[in-house]
Amino acid sequence: MSSKENAIEVEGLVVHRGGRPVLGSITFSVQRGSVTGLLGPSGSGKTTLMRSIVGVQKIRSGRITVLGQPAGSAPLRNSVGYMTQAPSVYGDLTVRENARYFGSLHGASHWAADRAVADVGLGEAAGQVVNTLSGGQRARASLACALLARPSVLVLDEPTVGQDPVLRAELWQRFHDLADEGVTLLVSSHVMDEAARCDRLLLIRDGSLIADDSPEGVRRASGTQDLDEAFLRLVVESRGKGRA
Amino acid sequence: MSPRVTLRTAGRVLRQLRHDPRTVALMLGVPVLLITLLRFVFDARPETFDRVGLMMLGIIPFMTMFLVTSVAMLRERTTGTLERLLTTPMNKLDLLVGYGIAFAVAAAAQSAVTSATAYGLLGLDTGASPLLVGVIAIATAILGMAIGLLTSAFASSEFQAVQFMPLVVMPQTMLCGLITPRDAMADWLRVISDLMPLTYAVEALTDASEHGGATDLMWRDVGIILAAALAALCLGALTLRRRSS
């Protein structure tokens, strides 16, 4: 595939943290205008992989290209949005103040900031100080700030943790709307029922990629309709390969 | 660098302060309390109060801004907001200068309240005008901010950040000529004292006071203080790394 179709290309990525390998030679690419799910148990290396793609992680070897540019390079800072796992917003400011500030870094108007807050279902809580919100609400405040960058590539680290099912469905709908507009989304989760909502799945375990396929493809390869079960089978299979 | 982003950042930092009325009350109230205390400690020796009180007006903003900035910056580092900022088009200088402007404003407010109390109510009498003293106070506040920002890189918790205060502030306070004139110190200690930026704040205040107004030496000292602040800010900028392991 040419790099015009791919928004993200990762080749032979190796990352060590604290002297131990966290990611061992990962290669994949993500198509433009798609929603790709990055799934795996906690500690599997999802966050490290996402940090590498946005360019805040020191990498040991390999090559990461985002929109044809090396990951983390200056021209990308206007086109890549990143939402960290722990909500990185100012706890002593209101939701609206956070959105307006982070939005202003990308030249977004106050109106756009207020709109983004309403879009993640925090319209009523906009005037509340973030520290007084629930965990799920804080995560949404953080998401609103990431969306304000109006990025071409959006990297979201577990955006739906702690959200109620209705809201979760709404957020996923929004991710697909963005993808239809041409935005490329990489969304991590450790909840398998979210996997079915993705166009493409990357399954990661112990720092290795054990599947890179569509949800349908993963089901077919593992011979089960249940993605949870499919993941289990793939894990067992990858272990077998590791021993052989 | 973008002036718009810098000003928005300064506004954001001030807004954070506004949401924390207790910190604002402490920032404005504690110096007033201390200078009042000093006035009555030297009840029978008003000329000593004039000398020490004047120096306190220059040193207090340094201490306050050092503390506030080191904790504020540490929070930026530990809550992930710094990392988020560094993935945006924002320039590092926008962040540093934004902090500088915000805390200079806070220092100006603090200095105004403390000076009004000292000159208006406590009868502080200095040769230099309160406005000139205010200018020097803001310079030392900016210095405190810059050093606080730099030391925050070496702390991984708020406990540690606070412990840098006695390390960074106390020796400077002891050696700057506040406790005893610098001529009375051991020679080797004077050399160290020459290297500490707060020394020049005390010298500037003393010189302006003795000559009843701004002097060349005073402006040179203000320049030294701001140059030291700039150096600390540049070193601080190096600690704002986009990539970490």
Side-chain angles (χ1 to χ4, degrees):
Chain A
M1 259 188 271
S2 78
S3 60
K4 276 197 175 161
E5 286 169 42
N6 291 331
I8 305 171
E9 290 184 324
V10 176
E11 259 182 72
L13 174 65
V14 178
V15 178
H16 285 216
R17 292 183 83 174
R20 283 185 47 249
V22 179
L23 294 176
S25 196
I26 285 191
T27 300
F28 65 90
S29 53
V30 173
Q31 230 184 318
R32 265 176 208 248
S34 67
V35 180
T36 301
L38 177 60
L39 292 119
S42 74
S44 55
K46 298 191 295 290
T47 297
T48 305
L49 179 55
M50 294 187 132
R51 283 170 49 86
S52 307
I53 290 169
V54 293
V56 294
Q57 174 70 50
K58 273 186 192 153
I59 67 173
R60 195 158 177 112
S61 62
R63 205 163 59 93
I64 311 170
T65 316
V66 179
L67 303 171
Q69 310 262 5
S73 57
L76 288 176
R77 279 175 215 136
N78 242 329
S79 39
V80 177
Y82 175 42
M83 174 194 166
T84 52
Q85 197 170 1
S88 42
V89 283
Y90 296 100
D92 46 4
L93 290 182
T94 65
V95 177
R96 188 185 295 122
E97 287 169 337
N98 266 295
R100 286 183 174 184
Y101 175 62
F102 283 111
S104 75
L105 304 181
H106 298 278
S109 65
H110 279 187
W111 182 82
D114 295 350
R115 172 81 195 279
V117 169
D119 276 352
V120 296
L122 285 177
E124 307 247 312
Q128 241 176 291
V129 172
V130 168
N131 275 341
T132 65
L133 301 176
S134 73
Q137 287 175 313
R138 278 184 217 195
R140 274 184 280 149
S142 189
L143 177 63
C145 295
L147 293 175
L148 271 167
R150 298 201 58 75
S152 315
V153 172
L154 200 46
V155 178
L156 305 174
D157 202 350
E158 309 221 348
T160 58
V161 169
Q163 309 297 352
D164 75 73
V166 177
L167 206 79
R168 225 160 68 183
E170 277 175 21
L171 288 176
W172 276 96
Q173 184 53 51
R174 199 155 151 61
F175 297 161
H176 281 285
D177 292 345
L178 286 169
D180 291 343
E181 291 166 23
V183 178
T184 309
L185 291 97
L186 182 64
V187 184
S188 78
S189 174
H190 60 255
V191 193
M192 285 301 151
D193 69 351
E194 295 196 325
R197 301 180 194 265
C198 300
D199 302 322
R200 190 96 189 159
L201 292 179
L202 298 167
L203 298 185
I204 182 171
R205 189 173 187 280
D206 288 341
S208 312
L209 210 54
I210 58 173
D212 175 3
D213 212 336
S214 64
E216 200 38 55
V218 169
R219 289 193 185 104
R220 215 179 310 118
S222 55
T224 169
Q225 280 303 302
D226 181 19
L227 281 171
D228 228 343
E229 176 64 23
F231 188 52
L232 272 175
R233 288 189 193 178
L234 287 167
V235 167
V236 173
E237 204 179 301
S238 73
R239 274 193 197 149
K241 271 183 201 154
R243 278 188 200 128
Chain B
M1 219 189 131
S2 137
R4 193 181 53 82
V5 171
T6 307
L7 288 177
R8 289 303 213 107
T9 302
R12 185 262 295 172
V13 174
L14 287 174
R15 220 162 272 134
Q16 283 179 289
L17 269 183
R18 209 192 59 199
H19 280 293
D20 188 355
R22 199 175 301 177
T23 295
V24 174
L26 287 167
M27 266 170 83
L28 297 179
V30 171
V32 169
L33 185 75
L34 291 179
I35 203 109
T36 309
L37 210 61
L38 209 61
R39 156 71 182 76
F40 293 101
V41 166
F42 295 117
D43 200 29
R45 293 164 58 196
E47 69 293 342
T48 311
F49 173 63
D50 288 343
R51 186 180 68 87
V52 180
L54 172 69
M55 291 175 194
M56 292 293 279
L57 288 180
I59 293 171
I60 290 172
F62 173 79
M63 290 203 287
T64 319
M65 297 307 148
F66 170 82
L67 262 184
V68 175
T69 314
S70 54
V71 172
M73 207 59 205
L74 182 76
R75 275 198 210 157
E76 292 256 20
R77 290 175 199 272
T78 53
T79 59
T81 47
L82 178 66
E83 187 167 283
R84 175 173 230 159
L85 292 177
L86 294 178
T87 63
T88 73
M90 174 190 239
N91 191 299
K92 287 176 192 175
L93 275 179
D94 291 326
L95 181 66
L96 297 175
V97 177
Y99 261 93
I101 294 174
F103 287 131
V105 169
Q110 185 192 53
S111 184
V113 173
T114 320
S115 295
T117 314
Y119 287 100
L121 297 176
L122 304 174
L124 181 72
D125 183 20
T126 59
S129 72
L131 205 65
L132 206 55
V133 174
V135 168
I136 300 172
I138 289 172
T140 64
I142 293 174
L143 176 71
M145 191 266 325
I147 296 179
L149 212 132
L150 176 61
T151 53
S152 78
F154 304 100
S156 55
S157 71
E158 287 171 3
F159 281 140
Q160 292 178 9
V162 172
Q163 290 307 320
F164 275 109
M165 158 105 168
L167 180 69
V168 174
V169 178
M170 285 303 283
Q172 296 211 58
T173 316
M174 286 195 278
L175 297 184
C176 69
L178 170 73
I179 297 176
T180 179
R182 300 200 308 136
D183 307 338
M185 290 177 198
D187 285 344
W188 60 273
L189 214 50
R190 265 202 74 176
V191 175
I192 297 177
S193 157
D194 282 343
L195 296 173
M196 298 198 162
L198 210 53
T199 304
Y200 299 92
V202 168
E203 192 179 69
L205 287 165
T206 313
D207 202 59
S209 190
E210 278 170 4
H211 294 88
T215 63
D216 288 348
L217 181 67
M218 185 211 96
W219 288 121
R220 188 209 68 173
D221 286 348
V222 170
I224 291 176
I225 295 167
L226 292 177
L230 190 68
L233 270 185
C234 292
L235 286 173
L238 293 178
T239 69
L240 303 178
R241 295 240 175 81
R242 224 164 228 123
R243 272 174 212 273
S244 57
S245 47

